[in-house]
């Protein structure tokens, strides 16, 4: 079992550009959540996908969008990048409505210059 | 606004010391509390999922307690080892299937 995988590991983009981050969930999991961790803070919830639909959303602007595919993998897209979007982006997978722990990937480090 | 606070922010101890951290969360609308251990350059790893007031969980030298009525959880590490060095995160969930609301973490450094 490969666990949760994310790609790419690191990414450098210029302000105003667009970026796509990818996540493959743990085998058997159907729900993917995305979190942003800025320096010195705990991870902040961006949104959660289940059955290819956005199920919950945190306090992030519409520049942040996502997608879930039939194989449960997911993408996070950020448009019109700002310097403040520089952060570690974590993907977590779980079973829908489960109280069990979420399984996290190693994250994608995004730097916006 | 739901706020989760962890203290201390960082902790430096000697090998063999026992230590504990605190996680404070809203005492209303509680569903679950998670503890995660996050080593540098690795994925956050779940330690405990706690759902009932008075819950006590243990994994090796690490244990945790939960008080949902007053809104806090303690994580204890007995006889700290250098390999315990990591950031310890707690996350609060207020409804089934809900998002994790994280604290800012406690960074533990254990010196040999």
């Amino acid at each position: 079992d490969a666990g949760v995988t994310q790609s790419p590991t690191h990414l450098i983009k210029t302000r105003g550009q667009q970026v796509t981050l990818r996540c493959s969930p743990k085998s058997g999991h159907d729900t993917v959540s995305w979190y942003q961790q800025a320096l010195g803070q705990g991870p902040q919830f961006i949104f959660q996908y289940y059955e290819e639909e956005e199920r919950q959303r945190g306090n992030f602007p519409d520049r942040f969008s996502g997608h879930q595919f039939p194989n449960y993998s997911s993408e996070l897209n950020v448009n019109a990048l700002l310097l403040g979007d520089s952060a570690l982006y974590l993907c977590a997978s779980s079973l829908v409505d489960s109280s069990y722990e979420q399984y996290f990937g190693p994250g994608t480090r995004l730097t916006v210059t | 606004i739901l706020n989760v606070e962890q203290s201390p922010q960082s902790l430096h101890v000697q090998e063999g010391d026992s230590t504990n951290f605190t996680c404070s969360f809203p005492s209303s609308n509680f569903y679950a509390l998670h503890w995660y251990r996050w080593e540098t350059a690795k994925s956050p790893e779940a330690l405990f999922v706690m759902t009932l007031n008075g819950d006590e969980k243990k994994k090796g030298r690490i244990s945790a307690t939960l008080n949902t009525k007053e809104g806090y959880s303690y994580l204890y590490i007995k006889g700290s080892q250098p390999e315990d060095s990591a950031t310890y995160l707690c996350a609060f969930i207020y409804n089934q299937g809900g998002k994790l609301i994280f604290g800012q973490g406690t960074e533990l450094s254990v010196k040999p």
Side-chain angles (χ1 to χ4, degrees):
Chain A
D1 182 4
V4 179
T5 60
Q6 292 187 243
S7 63
T9 306
H10 294 90
L11 205 50
I12 300 175
K13 289 285 188 178
T14 303
R15 192 171 48 184
Q17 285 188 316
Q18 179 264 343
V19 68
T20 297
L21 311 181
R22 295 176 176 82
C23 171
S24 291
K26 179 179 167 64
S27 177
H29 283 180
D30 55 13
T31 302
V32 173
S33 301
W34 287 92
Y35 295 83
Q36 180 198 66
Q37 196 210 17
L39 202 61
Q41 298 181 21
Q44 300 289 314
F45 175 78
I46 303 174
F47 42 53
Q48 182 186 80
Y49 275 84
Y50 169 67
E51 289 191 338
E52 303 178 49
E53 297 284 335
E54 185 182 288
R55 195 160 176 261
Q56 296 184 71
R57 190 179 181 89
N59 189 25
F60 279 80
D62 292 344
R63 297 186 298 107
F64 289 76
S65 63
H67 189 78
Q68 186 180 35
F69 300 93
N71 67 353
Y72 306 117
S73 67
S74 177
E75 288 181 349
L76 163 65
N77 301 294
V78 187
N79 294 322
L81 284 167
L82 302 174
L83 296 178
D85 295 330
S86 295
L88 181 70
Y89 289 85
L90 292 165
C91 165
S93 74
S94 59
L95 289 171
V96 68
D97 289 340
S98 169
S99 64
Y100 296 120
E101 65 269 32
Q102 296 190 11
Y103 286 78
F104 283 84
T108 294
R109 172 72 63 186
L110 172 65
T111 302
V112 182
T113 62
Chain B
I1 295 177
L2 296 170
N3 207 29
V4 177
E5 297 283 343
Q6 289 188 247
S7 63
Q9 286 193 7
S10 65
L11 201 51
H12 300 267
V13 302
Q14 291 294 130
E15 183 175 355
D17 288 349
S18 292
T19 186
N20 66 85
F21 326 133
T22 303
C23 172
S24 300
F25 53 85
S27 56
S28 57
N29 297 323
F30 175 87
Y31 181 73
L33 187 88
H34 293 192
W35 279 99
Y36 290 87
R37 180 173 178 273
W38 194 1
E39 290 181 73
T40 303
K42 294 188 177 181
S43 307
E45 176 190 359
L47 287 172
F48 304 114
V49 173
M50 309 183 82
T51 56
L52 297 175
N53 184 45
D55 250 357
E56 292 188 22
K57 302 267 185 175
K58 188 174 181 182
K59 184 181 288 189
R61 293 178 292 99
I62 304 176
S63 61
T65 61
L66 178 68
N67 184 324
T68 61
K69 296 188 186 306
E70 296 183 37
Y72 65 84
S73 175
Y74 294 139
L75 186 79
Y76 301 92
I77 302 179
K78 184 178 178 182
S80 302
Q81 299 296 309
E83 57 264 32
D84 295 328
S85 297
T87 295
Y88 291 82
L89 291 163
C90 69
F92 168 77
I93 306 175
Y94 60 86
N95 62 340
Q96 186 179 19
K99 60 187 180 185
L100 296 176
I101 302 170
F102 282 93
Q104 73 273 40
T106 292
E107 187 177 356
L108 174 66
S109 174
V110 183
K111 291 189 176 181

